[in-house]
């Protein structure tokens, strides 16, 4: 522990023997005397007291803030079996809170918490395993789902719907969506973690399951749907289901990537609107440009498209942008990817192949899928009707392939052209920005940047984000 804290404690304990030998620490301490009392309890082996001391000293808003001592107290509490202290240590080293970021050390604490059965830890480990060890991810989610964790049940539903880290099986997906809806109504909210929440942006389990069920039910024959729903209604905690219906693709395959060098451009699949479950409610907090970019910049990807692998290697491809709507789905403009056989998404040092999964060339709306999924989705969708001319918006795209370029402007008009709704904006849109995101001052997706009028200042247009759900 730090010398400053040690000196403070020595002074307090020397003050007239005011502290009992084994003082109780029943609540988070706030005063110096309460800190000393909890310290006495912690020294006597009280792991809860040690964790509470760490919580106070690890809080930068407190006058007793001392991150090095906080880590020491959490270490002591964790060694005594306090599971919450392990979570504090994981977060500190994963996010670099009060100590240099150390992912390897964070994973060590995560492994201990998983071994102890902590639901938050198993959920986080499953998220990390989706791209690293698909079989482990499936095992962890299945174990949590069997215990009644509706977040894990939703992940299994989405996983079986799309394939990748688990077999593609829409009957199984509908089963887990039904079970998640029941669990969301009947069970207390499961233990969550920001690593899961920020990746998938689920709302409450009941609402998420409702919209997913509506989407999945349309794709199954009525007799099969009835059998799946009957099976789901009979589910009880501790019970794993039998396989529901046919397997459409085995684990770790999902959607086969395009662009393996054939040179034959695949025809765009028929248009399929985004699932209603992805239309997350808009946030209301106003942010500055820097905070908007920090919040949503990671949801916008560079698109690199070419006719062949040879053209790609020769850097003769086409640049554009795309916006992530969930962990596996991005939206873009069709003119970015049409007639292209090789499509890559890039962000930072990460590059992945993408496959067109729906397109309407007449309206320039296209969807793509990556497998396995590891994208960061936008947090909310703003309704076109709620926009006001004159409000501030931000464009994020990759003009000329320059990744994560931020522009600022105003909503200068709301237009409807041939049945499609557009946001007219002064925020810059240029070649390479097509398919990027237009965001409001709360970081909600407003539209997909599509075109600009040449030789005219500030006449830029974005397709309303809502129209990708139609």
């Amino acid at each position: 522990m730090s010398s400053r804290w040690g000196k403070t404690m020595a002074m307090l304990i020397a003050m007239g023997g005011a502290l009992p030998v084994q003082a109780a620490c029943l609540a988070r301490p706030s005063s110096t005397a309460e800190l000393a009392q909890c310290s006495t309890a912690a020294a006597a082996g009280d792991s809860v007291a040690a964790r509470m001391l760490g919580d106070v000293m690890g809080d930068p808003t407190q006058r007793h803030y001392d991150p090095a001592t906080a880590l020491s107290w959490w270490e002591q509490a964790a060694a005594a079996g306090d599971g919450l202290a392990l979570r504090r240590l994981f977060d500190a080293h994963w996010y670099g809170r009060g100590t240099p970021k150390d992912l390897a050390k964070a994973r060590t604490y995560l492994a201990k918490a998983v071994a102890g059965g902590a639901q938050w830890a198993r959920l986080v480990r499953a998220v990390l395993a989706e791209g690293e060890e698909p079989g482990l991810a499936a095992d962890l989610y299945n174990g949590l789902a069997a215990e009644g964790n509706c977040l894990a049940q939703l992940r299994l539903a989405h996983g079986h719907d799309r394939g990748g880290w688990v077999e593609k099986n829409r009957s199984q997906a509908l089963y887990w969506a039904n079970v998640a809806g029941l669990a969301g109504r009947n069970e207390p909210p499961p233990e969550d973690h920001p690593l899961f929440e920020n990746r998938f942006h689920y709302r409450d389990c009941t609402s998420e399951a409702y919209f997913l069920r509506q989407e999945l039910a349309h794709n199954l024959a009525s007799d099969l749907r009835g059998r799946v729903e009957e099976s789901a209604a009979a589910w009880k905690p501790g019970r794993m289901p039998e396989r529901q219906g046919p397997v459409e693709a085995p684990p770790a395959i999902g959607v086969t990537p395009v662009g393996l060098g054939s040179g034959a451009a695949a025809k765009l699949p028929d248009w399929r609107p985004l699932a209603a479950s992805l239309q997350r409610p808009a946030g209301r907090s106003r942010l500055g440009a820097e905070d908007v970019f920090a919040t949503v910049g990671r949801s916008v990807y560079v698109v690199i498209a070419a006719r062949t692998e040879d053209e790609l290697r020769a850097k003769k491809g086409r640049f554009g942008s795309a916006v992530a709507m969930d962990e596996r789905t991005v939206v873009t403009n069709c003119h970015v990817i049409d007639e292209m056989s090789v499509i890559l998404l890039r962000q930072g040092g990460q590059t992945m192949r993408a496959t067109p999964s729906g397109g309407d060339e007449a309206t320039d709306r296209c969807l793509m899928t990556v497998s396995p999924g590891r994208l960061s989705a936008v947090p909310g969708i703003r309704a076109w009707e709620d926009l006001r001319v004159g409000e501030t918006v931000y464009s994020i795209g990759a003009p000329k392939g320059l990744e994560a370029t931020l522009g600022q402007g105003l909503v200068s008009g709301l237009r409807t052209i041939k049945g499609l709704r557009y946001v007219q904006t002064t925020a810059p849109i240029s070649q390479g920005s097509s398919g990027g995101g237009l965001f409001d001052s709360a970081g909600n997706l407003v539209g997909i940047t599509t075109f600009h009028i040449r030789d005219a200042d500030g006449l830029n247009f974005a397709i309303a984000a809502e129209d990708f759900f139609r």
Side-chain angles (χ1 to χ4, degrees), residues 181-459:
L182 293 170
R185 288 197 300 270
N186 301 328
E187 303 290 335
E191 193 177 8
D192 200 355
H193 189 278
L195 266 178
F196 183 93
E197 182 182 350
N198 294 339
R199 176 76 65 89
F200 303 118
H201 301 286
Y202 292 160
R203 293 164 291 185
D204 64 282
C205 288
T206 305
S207 299
E208 193 76 25
Y210 172 80
F211 289 114
L212 184 55
R213 285 200 311 273
Q214 303 307 305
E215 177 193 358
L216 292 167
H218 289 307
N219 297 316
L220 293 180
S222 58
D223 59 336
L224 178 56
R225 183 171 67 244
R227 290 197 301 272
V228 170
E229 290 172 347
E230 183 180 350
S231 180
W235 179 86
K236 293 180 181 178
R239 179 180 173 185
M240 290 300 296
E242 297 177 359
R243 176 170 285 154
Q244 309 283 321
V247 176
E248 299 165 56
I253 295 180
V255 181
T256 306
V258 299
L260 299 180
S262 67
K267 181 181 181 298
L268 288 173
D270 292 337
W271 172 248
R272 226 182 124 190
L274 289 168
S277 59
L278 301 183
Q279 197 164 356
R280 291 174 282 274
R284 297 297 179 187
S285 301
R286 287 187 172 274
L287 307 172
E290 183 178 350
D291 291 329
V292 168
F293 184 79
T295 300
V296 298
R298 60 187 177 179
S299 300
V300 182
Y301 292 77
V302 180
V303 176
I304 307 166
R307 289 181 175 82
T308 66
E309 295 282 352
D310 288 339
E311 281 193 7
L312 185 69
R313 284 190 287 271
K315 299 183 178 180
K316 294 181 179 178
R318 180 189 296 168
F319 286 105
S321 306
V323 179
M325 304 302 287
D326 69 6
E327 72 278 7
R328 293 190 62 234
T329 306
V330 295
V331 296
T332 188
N333 295 130
C334 295
H335 73 259
V336 174
I337 61 172
D338 65 330
E339 300 182 351
M340 297 291 128
S341 296
V342 186
I343 305 172
L344 303 179
L345 298 184
R346 187 185 73 203
Q347 188 182 84
Q350 182 186 34
T351 301
M352 64 200 88
R353 290 187 181 268
T355 303
S357 54
D360 182 359
E361 293 183 82
T363 59
D364 211 5
R365 295 175 297 167
C366 268
L367 314 179
M368 294 190 291
T369 305
V370 300
S371 180
R374 50 189 180 275
L375 307 178
S376 179
V378 294
I381 308 295
R382 178 81 178 274
W384 182 80
E385 292 87 354
D386 288 346
L387 293 169
R388 296 292 178 266
V389 172
E391 73 175 89
T392 301
V393 286
Y394 302 89
S395 59
I396 301 178
K400 305 291 185 182
L402 297 174
E403 181 179 336
T405 298
L406 176 70
Q408 181 174 344
L410 303 174
V411 173
S412 50
L414 298 171
R415 315 289 181 198
T416 300
I417 304 172
K418 295 182 179 179
L420 201 65
R421 296 175 296 180
Y422 290 85
V423 182
Q424 181 181 330
T425 179
T426 60
I429 299 174
S430 54
Q431 185 177 359
S433 295
S434 294
L438 187 68
F439 299 88
D440 68 10
S441 58
N444 301 302
L445 183 64
V446 166
I448 299 301
T449 53
T450 302
F451 67 94
H452 67 283
I453 306 298
R454 291 182 181 177
D455 304 319
D457 252 359
L459 288 179

Side-chain angles (χ1 to χ4, degrees), residues 15-258:
M15 290 170 57
L19 298 176
V21 175
Q22 295 204 9
C25 186
L26 303 177
R28 177 167 163 160
S30 55
S31 69
T32 304
E34 288 172 348
L35 284 167
Q37 186 177 14
C38 284
S39 180
T40 301
D46 187 334
S47 62
V48 174
R51 190 232 309 150
M52 286 182 174
L53 286 167
D55 289 352
V56 171
M57 294 181 193
D59 185 346
T61 67
Q62 298 294 313
R63 62 190 180 92
H64 297 290
Y65 179 57
D66 185 345
T69 301
L71 288 172
S72 179
W73 283 123
W74 286 331
E75 288 277 8
Q76 179 179 319
D82 189 283
L84 288 177
L86 280 173
R87 178 166 178 160
R88 306 291 195 272
L89 289 165
F90 169 79
D91 287 348
H93 291 286
W94 186 270
Y95 296 111
R97 294 173 181 166
T99 187
K101 184 182 290 189
D102 187 337
L103 301 186
K105 200 166 187 177
R107 282 177 177 263
T108 300
Y109 293 117
L110 180 64
K112 291 179 180 178
V114 169
Q119 285 206 4
W120 72 267
R122 291 150 65 200
L123 204 59
V124 169
R125 186 66 188 93
V127 171
L128 299 177
E130 283 187 31
E132 302 168 353
E133 303 171 78
L136 175 61
D139 287 345
L140 287 166
Y141 283 134
N142 273 305
L144 287 163
E147 294 171 15
N149 186 303
C150 63
L151 295 174
Q153 292 161 353
L154 283 170
R155 282 306 303 136
L156 287 169
H158 281 286
H160 284 297
D161 177 37
R162 298 173 181 276
W165 54 270
V166 70
E167 67 183 27
K168 185 172 183 178
N169 181 336
R170 288 180 179 167
S171 300
Q172 201 82 24
L174 180 60
Y175 175 91
W176 281 121
N178 275 282
V179 171
L182 293 170
R185 288 197 300 270
N186 301 328
E187 303 290 335
E191 193 177 8
D192 200 355
H193 189 278
L195 266 178
F196 183 93
E197 182 182 350
N198 294 339
R199 176 76 65 89
F200 303 118
H201 301 286
Y202 292 160
R203 293 164 291 185
D204 64 282
C205 288
T206 305
S207 299
E208 193 76 25
Y210 172 80
F211 289 114
L212 184 55
R213 285 200 311 273
Q214 303 307 305
E215 177 193 358
L216 292 167
H218 289 307
N219 297 316
L220 293 180
S222 58
D223 59 336
L224 178 56
R225 183 171 67 244
R227 290 197 301 272
V228 170
E229 290 172 347
E230 183 180 350
S231 180
W235 179 86
K236 293 180 181 178
R239 179 180 173 185
M240 290 300 296
E242 297 177 359
R243 176 170 285 154
Q244 309 283 321
V247 176
E248 299 165 56
I253 295 180
V255 181
T256 306
V258 299

